[in-house]
């Protein structure tokens, strides 16, 4: 017993010494970095933050450590940027250093560094340049994206009318409608609202996003290699992604079989054409000539880029619209003013168009305030520094992950009078004209700004104005009881489910000619 006791004591002492040694090495390595809570070996600050509500935890830490601080999420060291001035200084003024994409271990495990969102360097430049050009063409001259949105609005309105004023949760119908826009651009087709296979794919997508935004998702990001081998909800994400990948690859095969290089129909066709052009590399012997050719147009990048567009083009815009309807139900006076402006500018005999936005300052201000208040991407997409740099007197080593805390920008009291309140006057001048605000960054800023910003703005305006043009919103809840806070334990990203009624305002609705 004495030997066993001595052995146990020795083991405890060795483990303690090893722990202090690791802590000393880490402190020395990060000694010139921004301040932050002291991390534990391996665990970092996981026990000191609420991983169910990480954005709020980081806001609290900013009050202690300032606008630039360091937090250790497991083995990941992250520098957090707080407030508009800090984020703008890093992502815009020092864009050369802060424009790399930071690692998201769980997502990287699924997609590696392929596609637009996770890639860096030449791969990112080629794919982003190609994607922006292709998305701007939207259907290569067949129809404008505005017409597609207007037609999908009419389809959504028809589904609302089928409910005959009964209350229901519009989540899936809105998600299907928004998804059909990006699907028409990427896949060259839209899907019927009763298409069970497509509805199943959207369900898997929403389920995966919910899991990745939960505490288990944060732990997966912090300890990706370990959690890959452990059972849990995160394993469902792996299964879902496999099913979605099979769907995408089936679509790619269909496109390969029917591809006409002289008449590209959609994003996939354009990518396949670029991929075929890349095959010319086999007949070139000069290395300098090889390096000048596109080399990133292959199936891995095609699949992940399509997934990037599919996920981003569906969920973020649909969540914004869901927030919009619930916010307007809570503020019926604001809703009435928006509908009055819609009636004055658009009327009831034609669908809304993007040009109407410039004649509707109050509606435009309300939509901007919805995006600011909804705050659907509070952490922002992670960045990383491309080289060791000095920022505000601190040394940030090359490759360090950076969180531009967008929630602190959209609710920065230096730029918004009432950051915690829903107030359209944040975007109106004293004469009622629309007024821009430099801290309005729901799509982030700098070189990594969301490439779908233009499409998202168009969708939000046309869909919301179409709904309010044609329907009166009703709910059984008293407006004062409507809770606008996000779903608990979702890291402030997912709106609460809610039922409402869509009562037709007129016996007819605008028809697309």
């Amino acid at each position: 017993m004495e030997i066993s006791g001595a052995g146990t004591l020795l083991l405890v002492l060795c483990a303690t010494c090893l722990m202090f040694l690791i802590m000393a090495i880490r402190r020395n390595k990060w000694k010139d970095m921004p301040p932050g809570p002291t991390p534990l070996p391996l665990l970092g600050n996981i026990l000191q933050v609420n991983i169910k509500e990480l954005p709020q935890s980081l806001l609290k830490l900013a009050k202690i450590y300032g606008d630039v601080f360091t937090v250790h999420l497991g083995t990941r060291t992250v520098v957090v940027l707080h407030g508009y001035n800090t984020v703008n200084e890093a992502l815009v003024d020092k864009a050369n250093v802060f424009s790399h994409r930071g690692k998201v271990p769980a997502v990287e495990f699924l997609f590696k560094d392929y596609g637009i969102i996770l890639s860096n360097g030449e791969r990112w430049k080629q794919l982003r340049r190609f994607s922006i050009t292709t998305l701007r063409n939207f259907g290569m001259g067949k129809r404008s994206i505005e017409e597609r949105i207007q037609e999908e609005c009419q389809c959504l309105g028809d589904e609302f009318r089928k409910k005959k004023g009964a209350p229901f949760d519009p989540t899936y119908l809105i998600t299907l409608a928004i998804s059909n826009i990006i699907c028409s651009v990427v896949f060259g087709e839209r899907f019927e609202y009763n298409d069970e296979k497509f509805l199943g794919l959207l369900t898997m997508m929403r389920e995966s996003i919910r899991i990745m935004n939960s505490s288990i998702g944060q732990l997966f990001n912090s300890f990706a290699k370990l959690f890959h081998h452990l059972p849990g909800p995160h394993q469902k994400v792996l299964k879902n992604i496999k099913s979605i990948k099979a769907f995408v690859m089936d679509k790619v095969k269909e496109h390969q079989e029917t591809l006409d290089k002289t008449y590209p129909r959609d994003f996939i066709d354009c990518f396949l054409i670029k991929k075929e052009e890349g095959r010319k590399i086999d007949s070139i012997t000069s290395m300098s000539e090889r390096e000048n050719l596109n080399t990133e147009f292959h199936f891995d990048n095609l699949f992940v880029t399509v997934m990037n567009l599919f996920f981003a083009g569906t969920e973020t815009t649909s969540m914004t619209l869901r927030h919009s309807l619930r916010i307007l139900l809570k503020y019926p006076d604001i809703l009435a003013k928006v509908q009055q402006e819609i009636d004055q500018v658009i009327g009831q005999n034609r669908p809304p168009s993007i040009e109407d936005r410039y004649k509707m300052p109050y509606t435009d201000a309300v939509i901007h305030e919805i995006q600011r208040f909804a705050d659907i991407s509070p952490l922002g997409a992670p960045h990383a520094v491309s080289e060791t740099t000095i920022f505000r007197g601190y040394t940030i080593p090359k490759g360090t992950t950076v969180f531009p805390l967008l929630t602190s920008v959209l609710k920065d009291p230096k730029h918004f009078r009432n950051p915690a309140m829903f107030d359209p006057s944040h975007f109106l001048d004293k004469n009622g004209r629309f007024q821009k605000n430099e801290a309005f960054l729901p799509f982030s800023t700098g070189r990594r700004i969301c490439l779908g910003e233009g499409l998202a703005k168009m969708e939000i305006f046309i869909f919301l104005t179409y709904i309010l043009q044609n329907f009166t919103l009703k709910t059984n809840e008293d407006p004062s009881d409507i809770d606008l806070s996000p779903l608990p334990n979702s890291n402030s990203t997912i709106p609460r489910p809610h039922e409402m009624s869509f009562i037709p305002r007129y016996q007819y609705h605008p028809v697309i000619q």
Side-chain angles (χ1 to χ4, degrees):
M1 290 293 293
E2 292 180 358
I3 296 176
S4 176
T8 301
L9 179 61
L10 180 61
L11 183 62
V12 170
L13 287 173
C14 288
T16 302
C17 290
L18 179 61
M19 182 179 297
F20 277 106
L21 177 62
I22 293 173
M23 291 176 69
I25 292 173
R26 288 176 68 95
R27 277 198 299 269
N28 183 64
K29 181 179 180 181
W30 310 109
K31 65 179 181 179
D32 296 323
M33 287 190 69
T38 302
L40 294 172
L42 301 178
L43 294 178
N45 302 120
I46 284 291
L47 301 180
Q48 297 157 278
V49 297
N50 181 359
I51 57 175
K52 295 179 180 179
E53 299 294 350
L54 186 58
Q56 298 306 312
S57 284
L58 297 181
L59 288 174
K60 291 178 181 178
L61 289 177
K63 294 179 180 178
I64 301 172
Y65 298 104
D67 289 337
V68 186
F69 63 93
T70 304
V71 65
H72 301 267
L73 303 176
T75 56
R76 262 202 315 173
T77 297
V78 178
V79 170
V80 181
L81 307 178
H82 176 273
Y84 168 75
N85 292 336
T86 311
V87 170
N88 189 68
E89 181 181 342
L91 302 192
V92 177
D93 297 343
K94 297 182 179 294
N96 286 339
V97 177
F98 283 87
S99 291
H100 265 222
R101 173 62 69 223
K103 291 184 180 298
V104 186
V107 181
E108 198 171 64
F109 180 82
L110 296 169
F111 301 125
K112 298 183 179 178
D113 61 348
Y114 295 118
I116 305 170
I117 293 179
L118 296 179
S119 59
N120 285 303
E122 189 60 27
R123 171 173 293 170
W124 172 70
K125 290 177 183 177
Q126 289 187 26
L127 293 177
R128 184 177 176 86
R129 189 184 307 118
F130 167 79
S131 298
I132 288 175
T133 300
T134 304
L135 291 176
R136 279 176 180 167
N137 291 332
F138 288 128
M140 284 50 75
K142 287 170 56 183
R143 291 181 302 160
S144 74
I145 192 63
E146 183 176 47
E147 290 173 327
R148 299 184 193 208
I149 296 171
Q150 290 170 335
E151 289 177 8
E152 197 62 44
C153 281
Q154 190 164 304
C155 293
L156 179 64
D158 290 343
E159 293 298 318
F160 285 170
R161 290 183 180 84
K162 290 178 183 178
K163 302 296 182 179
K164 299 186 182 300
F168 71 101
D169 183 347
T171 295
Y172 274 109
L173 285 179
I174 290 174
T175 303
L176 283 162
I178 296 298
S179 186
N180 264 336
I181 303 302
I182 195 64
C183 284
S184 69
V185 175
V186 174
F187 301 120
E189 61 179 312
R190 66 175 298 278
F191 298 88
E192 296 299 328
Y193 292 178
N194 59 359
D195 187 319
E196 292 186 4
K197 183 177 181 180
F198 187 61
L199 184 60
L201 288 170
L202 291 181
T203 300
M204 285 188 282
M205 182 178 70
R206 293 188 66 245
E207 180 182 48
S208 299
I209 291 173
R210 178 186 59 78
I211 292 172
M212 293 308 297
N213 281 315
S214 69
S215 56
I216 195 70
Q218 294 299 329
L219 288 172
F220 192 7
N221 266 325
S222 300
F223 308 100
K225 292 182 180 179
L226 173 64
F227 268 71
H228 172 55
H229 300 287
L230 297 178
H234 58 289
Q235 295 293 342
K236 183 70 172 177
V237 176
L238 304 179
K239 183 179 179 181
N240 287 347
I241 296 300
K242 185 176 180 180
S243 297
I244 297 172
K245 182 176 182 178
F247 171 81
V248 172
M249 294 316 293
D250 283 345
K251 293 298 178 185
V252 171
K253 289 178 182 177
E254 291 176 12
H255 279 67
Q256 284 180 305
E257 294 170 357
T258 59
L259 178 65
D260 181 352
K261 295 179 183 179
T262 62
Y263 190 66
R265 299 158 293 187
D266 47 46
F267 185 91
I268 292 178
D269 272 1
C270 292
F271 200 104
L272 290 174
I273 291 170
K274 291 288 285 186
K275 179 177 176 293
E276 287 297 316
E277 291 174 359
R279 288 185 176 180
K280 296 176 182 178
I281 195 171
D282 294 332
S283 62
I284 296 176
T285 57
S286 167
M287 184 58 68
S288 61
E289 287 182 293
R290 286 171 179 259
E291 291 174 352
N292 287 331
L293 285 172
N294 291 316
T295 59
E296 295 297 340
F297 294 90
H298 49 72
F299 278 118
D300 288 325
N301 274 331
L302 171 57
F303 162 64
V304 181
T305 298
V306 167
M307 291 286 284
N308 292 162
L309 295 173
F310 185 47
F311 271 73
T314 296
E315 198 62 19
T316 54
T317 303
S318 64
M319 278 200 288
T320 301
L321 282 172
R322 287 155 56 198
H323 274 293
S324 301
L325 299 177
R326 192 158 175 81
I327 288 170
L328 292 173
L329 281 170
K330 186 172 181 65
Y331 299 104
D333 54 332
I334 294 175
L335 171 59
K337 289 182 69 175
V338 170
Q339 287 187 308
Q340 182 181 20
E341 190 174 61
I342 290 172
D343 292 344
Q344 290 174 347
V345 176
I346 303 173
Q348 295 86 44
N349 297 319
R350 66 172 178 85
S353 70
I354 196 60
E355 289 298 320
D356 294 321
R357 186 178 68 179
Y358 307 107
K359 306 171 189 175
M360 302 169 66
Y362 187 76
T363 301
D364 203 6
V366 168
I367 290 175
H368 276 71
E369 180 65 359
I370 286 169
Q371 289 183 271
R372 185 199 71 83
F373 187 83
D375 190 15
I376 64 171
S377 183
L379 285 178
H383 286 238
V385 290
S386 57
E387 60 187 58
T388 298
T389 188
I390 305 296
F391 185 75
R392 295 196 172 184
Y394 301 112
T395 299
I396 305 178
K398 178 180 179 180
T400 301
T401 298
V402 176
F403 282 177
L405 199 58
L406 293 187
T407 187
S408 70
V409 177
L410 294 174
K411 297 177 180 176
D412 191 331
K414 296 177 183 178
H415 294 270
F416 299 101
R417 291 184 303 276
N418 305 305
M421 296 179 61
F422 183 80
D423 183 2
S425 70
H426 285 140
F427 297 95
L428 292 169
D429 65 15
K430 61 183 180 181
N431 296 314
R433 293 186 295 252
F434 178 78
Q435 178 175 265
K436 291 183 178 181
N437 189 311
E438 62 183 357
F440 177 72
L441 302 180
F443 301 99
S444 192
T445 189
R447 294 180 181 176
R448 285 280 184 169
I449 191 170
C450 174
L451 65 84
E453 177 185 8
L455 174 59
K457 287 180 176 179
M458 187 183 296
E459 288 178 312
I460 293 168
F461 177 81
I462 295 178
F463 269 102
L464 185 59
T465 52
Y466 178 90
I467 291 171
L468 300 183
Q469 177 194 38
N470 288 276
F471 298 94
T472 297
L473 306 182
K474 297 289 185 181
T475 178
N476 293 327
E477 293 181 82
D478 186 276
S480 61
D481 293 332
I482 295 176
D483 186 354
L484 298 181
S485 64
L487 203 63
N489 304 326
S490 70
N491 278 292
S492 304
T493 58
I494 300 177
R496 293 172 183 267
H498 57 278
E499 290 192 346
M500 62 179 64
S501 299
F502 295 81
I503 311 299
R505 296 180 70 198
Y506 308 100
Q507 295 302 313
Y508 59 93
H509 58 276
V511 177
I512 310 297
Q513 298 298 325

